[in-house]
Amino acid sequence: MMCEFSVEYVFGSVDKALAAELIDFWNLNQVSYQAELKSFRSHGDLSEIEPQLSKQKVLRRQPGAIARDQEGSIIGVVFVVLRELEAHLNLGSHAYFQRMYVLPQARLFYLTNQLYKIFLQGFIYSVELRDHRAGILIAENINPGLHKGAMRRYFARLGFKMLGSNQLGGEVWLLKLRNQFIF
C-alpha cells in the first residue's frame, strides 16, 4: 500500500531524462495496460483502444502529469492524445483525448484524485502549450468502476458533461477548453 507520493504536471515540459523514464515505464507496463483496457470493453473490436469518436490518426501523444512513489519511480501517468475529429460530430476540428494509468498496487483514491486534479488544473491553464485547434478534452471512461453515481458526480464537479456512451461500453465525457491562437 502506498503512503507517500508526489505528483508533477509535465505537459509541454518533458526533457530527455523524463522521456527516458516514461519509455521505461511503458516498456514495463504496456502489456498490462493494454490487457486492462481490453478487459473493460464490453464488446466490439478489442484491438481498438482509442476512443471511437475519432477514426483519424494520432497527431500527437504527450504525458500530462506523472505520479512518483517515495523512491522516485513513476507509478502513474495521465496522458493526452491530439486527434482530428470527424466533421459530422459538430465538436470542432480537433480534440484532446485523455487517459490515465496508475500501477495496480498504487491505486488509492487519494493518489488518483491528486494525479487527475493536478493534471486537469494544469491542462486547463496551459492555453499557450495546447494546440489551438482543440477546443475540448474528452475522457472515455471505460473502467466500469467509473460508471457509478459517485464517479459521475465527481466528473460533473470537475466541469465535464457526459456526451453519452460508445459502442464499446465506455462513457464519453467532454470538457470545453478555453483556446487562444498564438503566432
Side-chain angles (χ1 to χ4, degrees):
M1 182 161 147
M2 295 292 308
C3 295
E4 296 180 33
F5 62 87
S6 63
V7 176
E8 180 182 0
Y9 181 73
V10 299
F11 182 78
S13 63
V14 176
D15 61 18
K16 287 182 181 183
L18 179 54
E21 281 185 274
L22 287 163
I23 288 169
D24 290 344
F25 175 84
W26 286 116
N27 283 340
L28 290 172
N29 298 293
Q30 184 72 19
V31 171
S32 61
Y33 170 71
Q34 295 290 341
E36 190 169 342
L37 284 178
K38 288 179 183 181
S39 75
F40 293 146
R41 300 292 191 192
S42 60
H43 57 285
D45 180 5
L46 297 180
S47 66
E48 177 61 36
I49 63 163
E50 292 296 335
Q52 295 297 299
L53 283 172
S54 175
K55 306 243 189 256
Q56 303 296 320
K57 69 177 185 156
V58 170
L59 300 176
R60 185 179 311 140
R61 182 183 316 266
Q62 297 175 264
I66 59 169
R68 296 179 182 275
D69 64 15
Q70 59 264 34
E71 284 84 39
S73 299
I74 296 174
I75 56 172
V77 178
V78 177
F79 60 96
V80 290
V81 175
L82 177 66
R83 287 180 168 262
E84 275 185 64
L85 293 178
E86 296 175 16
H88 74 277
L89 296 171
N90 295 320
L91 295 173
S93 65
H94 293 75
Y96 280 102
F97 290 84
Q98 164 269 306
R99 291 240 196 248
M100 180 167 76
Y101 181 71
V102 175
L103 297 179
Q105 66 271 22
R107 291 183 187 160
L108 299 171
F109 179 75
Y110 183 69
L111 169 67
T112 57
N113 181 50
Q114 289 301 308
L115 177 58
Y116 197 68
K117 282 187 168 182
I118 287 173
F119 157 72
L120 197 56
Q121 181 179 36
F123 195 73
I124 287 169
Y125 292 107
S126 293
V127 175
E128 71 284 353
L129 297 176
R130 294 192 321 257
D131 189 299
H132 71 277
R133 298 171 295 178
I136 56 175
L137 174 66
I138 295 175
E140 182 195 27
N141 296 347
I142 60 171
N143 182 334
L146 298 176
H147 300 177
K148 297 177 181 171
M151 291 310 296
R152 289 176 176 151
R153 287 188 298 278
Y154 174 82
F155 270 86
R157 280 192 308 273
L158 292 174
F160 283 87
K161 297 205 182 314
M162 188 189 286
L163 194 59
S165 297
N166 66 15
Q167 53 278 64
L168 297 177
E171 291 183 349
V172 180
W173 292 78
L174 178 141
L175 178 71
K176 292 191 179 203
L177 299 170
R178 185 174 57 87
N179 273 337
Q180 165 180 345
F181 183 74
I182 299 174
F183 293 92

